Amino acid sequence: MASLSERDKKYIWHPFTQMRDWEATEPLVIERGRGNYLYDTEGRRYFDGVSSLWVNVHGHRRKEIDEAVIKQVRMLSHSTFLGLSHPPGIILAEKLIAIAPEGLRRVFYSDNGSTSVEIGLKMAYQYWKQKGENRPLFLCLKEAYHGDTIGSVSMGGMELFHEIFRPLLFKTVKAPAPFCYRCGLGMKNDSCGMACSGELEKLIKENEGKISALVMEPLVQGAGGMIMHPEGYLRRARELCDKYNILLVLDEVATGFGRTGKMFACEHEGVSPDIMCLAKGITGGYLPLAATLTTEKIYKAFLGDYAEFRTFFHGHSYTANPLACAAALANLEVFDKDETLKHMPEKEDALAGGLEKIERLPHVGDVRRKGFMVGIELVKDRKTREPYLPAEKIGIRVITEARRLGLIIRPLGNVIVLMPPLSSTPAELKKITEITRKSIISVT
Ligand SMILES: Cc1ncc(COP(=O)(O)O)c(C=O)c1O
């Protein structure tokens, strides 16, 4: 019989993967996980340095989550949420509202980050429609990433992922990303951020009355290259939304569930959105689940007589899957039990310590970090900030070397991303930064 990797190459089309390259290499087939480590079919161990694409929170095979899922399997694996309800869905909604930023009171479930954003967009648009206003535009940021479905791609601003689909997308207004390292003004301070928010206001004014919502990733634009917003930018965005009466949709898909050091990134700036999109870490990385949270004000705009059709016509086969809800509930319990967020500062210190050494390397242009979200931008020339060309595959070469040394990470172009599980120990964080440093040295 053909080996697993041969059968993989014969039958599978992997996401975000140049399959010609894939076919030319030996795929890594992961068989099991334990704690912060993954094990391949040959029994080799790797540290899960990107939390299995930013989803894992408390490690693999976490006893409490395993048991919660098994217990739920014995009760009910799935039943529709259209016209019916179930205990884990109800209890989880109550818990999410208890930890959510002030004002968010309603939970609309779905099953991945992209759909949580789609729902946010449709909710915002229909909200204004039902208030008697037609607002077909959304304001969003360049370099934004909100997922791969057409609505979320419309909100996106990454040339590489999104440009080819441009003719299929609906119209949006794009503000510059507050990307200090590459903003061109050469400033790396708060006034830079304020210049960007000035641009936001200008665009809102130019399109007054037509914008449903400002849609953005709070504090960190993840897939865009771990772009960290200057302090105050999000607060200013909230003020502008209030001033011009547009909704604020925050995509906390990547930043939520402790990744930036607080449960939700918007807490760093004391901001509450009108709509908040959650996914990834919600189940601790166990099962696909997403939630779009909103206020009572928005929810109430959808109430009316059946025949008025103010209903929110959106739903999925697996909306609020009970197994996923049970995993999410157990994940939230582990947050309490382990005091996950309380231990973040000491762990962040360990991570920051390791990154300091990386920062000094000659081909490292910028090291950006918020909590456990890290981007290391590699440059050909540190002084001029000249990027490596795509053909040089610098990011891919670094992560390949890291893998050889027992660390699984992924690049975003020339940016090496580290996003370890929150359960990582200070010693493990030191170790992974050391492997990353060695890998960068050996490739550059
Ligand atoms: C900020 C943000 N929004 C949305 C998504 C899309 O989530 P999913 O891949 O679950 O559809 C991602 C995925 O990386 C993300 O980082």
Side-chain angles (χ1 to χ4, degrees):
M1 176 129 109
S3 70
L4 275 173
S5 54
E6 281 163 344
R7 281 142 72 199
D8 176 294
K9 288 186 199 181
K10 188 165 175 195
Y11 296 112
I12 296 177
W13 188 345
H14 285 268
F16 279 97
T17 303
Q18 175 41 258
M19 292 304 289
R20 197 171 74 174
D21 290 348
W22 178 269
E23 286 177 17
T25 51
E26 194 54 24
L28 184 56
V29 184
I30 299 298
E31 191 172 53
R32 62 191 182 91
R34 169 73 77 182
N36 303 321
Y37 295 87
L38 295 167
Y39 297 80
D40 69 10
T41 41
E42 309 292 312
R44 283 179 298 231
R45 186 177 92 142
Y46 305 86
F47 190 89
D48 188 356
V50 280
S51 301
S52 294
L53 213 60
W54 315 358
V55 298
N56 194 282
V57 179
H58 292 112
H60 299 272
R61 298 283 330 267
R62 178 73 199 214
K63 190 167 160 275
E64 294 86 342
I65 310 180
D66 284 7
E67 282 171 2
V69 174
I70 293 164
K71 196 168 157 208
Q72 185 59 42
V73 168
R74 298 210 171 104
M75 291 296 287
L76 170 74
S77 288
H78 189 67
S79 146
T80 182
F81 226 50
L82 278 67
L84 297 174
S85 198
H86 53 63
I90 298 167
I91 300 164
L92 177 62
E94 190 176 29
K95 293 241 153 96
L96 288 173
I97 291 305
I99 60 168
E102 211 186 318
L104 296 172
R105 292 271 176 277
R106 293 279 166 178
V107 178
F108 194 102
Y109 288 114
S110 58
D111 42 33
N112 62 71
S114 309
T115 51
S116 75
V117 174
E118 294 284 340
I119 288 161
L121 304 179
K122 288 172 77 177
M123 216 177 242
Y125 178 73
Q126 192 173 336
Y127 166 77
W128 287 116
K129 264 293 217 204
Q130 285 169 187
K131 302 275 286 179
E133 293 189 43
N134 185 30
R135 297 190 180 204
L137 292 179
F138 288 89
L139 175 59
C140 29
L141 300 182
K142 288 188 183 146
E143 310 304 333
Y145 179 78
H146 296 289
D148 295 332
T149 52
I150 288 299
S152 55
V153 170
S154 298
M155 299 299 119
M158 293 178 64
E159 293 269 311
L160 179 66
F161 297 170
H162 301 147
E163 205 41 44
I164 192 162
F165 300 115
R166 197 60 64 202
L168 305 183
L169 309 180
F170 53 84
K171 210 171 150 231
T172 57
V173 180
K174 295 272 194 297
F179 187 3
C180 300
Y181 183 64
R182 294 233 173 253
C183 89
L185 300 175
M187 293 189 279
K188 196 171 178 178
N189 55 39
D190 287 353
S191 56
C192 175
M194 289 309 113
C196 289
S197 63
E199 195 62 25
L200 268 185
E201 183 161 24
K202 192 171 134 245
L203 291 168
I204 295 174
K205 275 191 191 155
E206 278 170 17
N207 295 283
E208 213 168 341
K210 290 191 228 142
I211 297 176
S212 277
L214 164 60
V215 181
M216 60 184 274
E217 297 154 86
L219 267 62
V220 186
Q221 287 180 246
M226 293 291 150
I227 299 168
M228 312 282 161
H229 295 175
E231 207 196 316
Y233 184 81
L234 176 62
R235 214 175 307 122
R236 184 75 189 123
R238 174 74 268 183
E239 285 164 11
L240 290 171
C241 288
D242 290 342
K243 184 172 167 190
Y244 294 97
N245 193 25
I246 63 177
L247 301 176
L248 177 64
V249 178
L250 289 185
D251 175 352
E252 290 257 12
V253 167
T255 51
F257 298 97
R259 209 60 74 174
T260 66
K262 292 197 184 282
M263 189 55 98
F264 302 109
C266 58
E267 291 173 29
H268 288 278
E269 303 223 341
V271 162
S272 285
D274 301 290
I275 295 175
M276 184 163 88
C277 310
L278 302 174
K280 288 197 185 276
I282 190 170
T283 61
Y286 267 62
L287 285 157
L289 182 72
T292 307
L293 274 53
T294 192
T295 60
E296 205 63 10
K297 185 174 96 177
I298 293 179
Y299 170 77
K300 284 212 167 112
F302 288 73
L303 303 182
D305 282 341
Y306 174 80
E308 279 182 85
F309 296 128
R310 298 170 76 89
T311 305
F312 189 43
F313 290 108
H314 188 109
H316 300 279
S317 313
Y318 283 98
T319 290
N321 173 257
L323 300 177
C325 290
L329 277 167
N331 183 42
L332 289 179
E333 274 162 27
V334 177
F335 263 101
D336 285 341
K337 186 174 165 194
D338 286 6
E339 299 186 306
T340 309
L341 297 175
K342 194 176 141 201
H343 295 298
M344 284 296 279
E346 76 201 66
K347 295 183 180 189
E348 285 186 42
D349 284 349
L351 187 56
L355 291 172
E356 264 172 34
K357 287 193 197 158
I358 293 178
E359 214 161 354
R360 291 185 221 127
L361 299 178
H363 288 280
V364 170
D366 195 26
V367 176
R368 307 186 274 273
R369 182 185 70 81
K370 186 77 195 171
F372 270 24
M373 299 179 84
V374 177
I376 301 162
E377 182 159 344
L378 303 177
V379 285
K380 214 166 181 157
D381 186 322
R382 200 177 154 114
K383 224 173 175 173
T384 62
R385 303 182 181 185
E386 182 193 345
Y388 282 99
L389 296 171
E392 293 174 271
K393 293 187 183 166
I394 193 77
I396 293 173
R397 280 159 51 211
V398 169
I399 69 119
T400 306
E401 176 61 11
R403 190 177 292 183
R404 205 182 59 79
L405 300 173
L407 168 65
I408 290 180
I409 46 178
R410 266 184 77 82
L412 290 161
N414 296 340
V415 179
I416 306 299
V417 173
L418 302 182
M419 208 184 299
L422 305 191
S423 50
S424 309
T425 64
E428 286 170 334
L429 294 164
K430 281 219 159 84
K431 176 112 191 273
I432 65 166
T433 51
E434 195 45 31
I435 294 178
T436 307
R437 193 178 77 89
K438 282 188 183 147
S439 307
I440 294 172
I441 292 171
S442 95
V443 170
T444 59

